[in-house]
């Protein structure tokens, strides 16, 4: 069992390889259960949920070994609870992106069941916001800490304080996404330096972080940034893809 976290941006058939390790794990679980194709819950709470859920299901199909998948898609309304049946009797769970607060709110009632599924060997795939909520402490969308800007802000838009909310708890450090592309490394560094979080991993777009058996592996076109507290500041390093 592994947890697969993608930093966003991987939306075309050329990015299918990033999703392949997740689909392979789901397929192995399906075969062990006597099924020809893996049943994968594909959940989107994006403002364009139906389109995004269908696109993610298509990517997962392309990522398979030719045997196809049985996609159980849920196109929910942002922020509204997802029904428990969305993740019942599946071989994998894939959660797409959107506004992180909405994705978290929609899946919060299922956090306990998601932890249980992963503990018994069901792989989890999170893309963008779906990756962020996999953490024990999930970063929200704020750009300020103590009133000071720590990430790019839209001109003329008031910055919001960065808050940490309870996530699923599949990984024990915070997850940041779109790091190099949106200048989010500074937010992750500031959150660790301020003590708001105890450590974090930032994932570039078109890059996957795979967490399994206590090991971290990066794949794709960018880097995974590791930010940890150290005496007098923080330590920043990369896990190259």
């Amino acid at each position: 069992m592994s947890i697969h976290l993608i930093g966003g941006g991987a939306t075309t058939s050329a990015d299918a390889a990033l999703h392949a390790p997740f689909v392979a794990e789901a397929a192995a679980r399906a075969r062990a259960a006597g099924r020809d194709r893996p049943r994968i819950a594909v959940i989107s709470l994006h403002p364009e949920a139906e389109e995004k859920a269908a696109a993610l299901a298509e990517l997962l199909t392309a990522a398979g070994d030719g045997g196809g998948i049985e996609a159980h898609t849920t196109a929910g309304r942002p922020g509204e609870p997802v029904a428990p049946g969305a993740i019942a009797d599946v071989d994998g769970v894939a959660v797409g992106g959107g506004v992180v607060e909405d994705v978290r709110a929609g899946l919060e009632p299922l956090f306990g069941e998601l932890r249980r599924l992963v503990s018994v060997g069901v792989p989890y795939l999170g893309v963008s916001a779906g990756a962020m909520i996999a953490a024990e402490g999930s970063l929200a969308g704020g750009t300020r800490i103590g009133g000071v800007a720590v990430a790019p802000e839209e001109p003329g838009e008031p910055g919001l304080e960065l808050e940490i909310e309870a996530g699923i708890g599949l990984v024990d450090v915070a997850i940041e996404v779109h790091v190099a592309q949106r200048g989010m490394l500074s937010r992750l560094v500031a959150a660790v330096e301020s003590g708001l979080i105890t450590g974090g991993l930032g994932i570039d777009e078109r890059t996957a972080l795979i967490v399994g058996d206590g090991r971290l592996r990066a794949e794709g076109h960018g880097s995974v940034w590791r930010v940890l507290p150290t005496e007098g500041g923080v330590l920043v390093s990369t896990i190259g893809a």
Side-chain angles (χ1 to χ4, degrees):
M1 175 281 307
S2 298
I3 300 150
H4 305 254
L5 307 175
I6 296 177
T11 58
T12 71
S13 58
D15 300 301
L18 280 182
H19 302 74
F22 164 77
V23 176
E25 288 192 21
R29 182 173 175 81
R31 287 192 298 270
R35 289 191 282 268
D36 293 331
R37 295 186 299 163
R39 298 172 180 167
I40 299 179
V42 180
I43 301 171
S44 176
L45 291 160
H46 192 278
E48 301 170 355
E50 290 189 10
E51 176 185 337
K52 297 297 184 180
L56 182 52
E58 185 177 341
L59 262 177
L60 295 175
T61 299
D65 59 3
I69 68 169
E70 185 179 325
H72 293 222
T73 60
T74 297
R77 294 179 180 273
E80 291 189 2
V82 173
I87 58 173
D89 194 23
V90 295
D91 302 301
V93 177
V95 179
V99 178
V100 65
E101 291 88 349
D102 290 342
V103 177
R104 180 193 171 279
L107 284 173
E108 185 177 13
L110 304 184
F111 282 0
E113 178 61 9
L114 285 168
R115 287 192 296 270
R116 187 195 70 80
L117 288 174
V118 171
S119 73
V120 299
V122 175
Y124 175 91
L125 170 70
V127 181
S128 189
M132 294 175 74
I133 67 164
E136 184 174 314
S138 174
L139 297 170
T143 58
R144 298 192 169 217
I145 297 177
V148 178
V150 296
E153 298 179 342
E154 292 294 330
E157 291 289 330
L160 299 176
E161 280 290 307
L162 175 60
E163 296 182 353
I164 309 298
E165 303 285 354
I168 302 172
L170 304 180
V171 293
D172 58 5
V173 294
I175 301 296
E176 184 66 278
V177 294
H178 305 287
V179 174
Q181 291 73 23
R182 297 186 185 178
M184 301 307 289
L185 181 59
S186 59
R187 186 173 83 152
L188 192 58
V189 167
V192 173
E193 193 275 336
S194 69
L196 201 57
I197 58 176
T198 59
L201 293 166
I203 310 170
D204 288 346
E205 291 183 3
R206 302 186 70 201
T207 306
L209 169 67
I210 302 173
V211 183
D213 300 324
R215 294 174 295 176
L216 302 178
R217 185 168 94 246
E219 295 188 358
H221 297 267
S223 294
V224 174
W225 305 80
R226 179 161 37 198
V227 181
L228 298 172
T230 188
E231 186 175 354
V234 299
L235 174 66
V236 179
S237 60
T238 58
I239 304 170

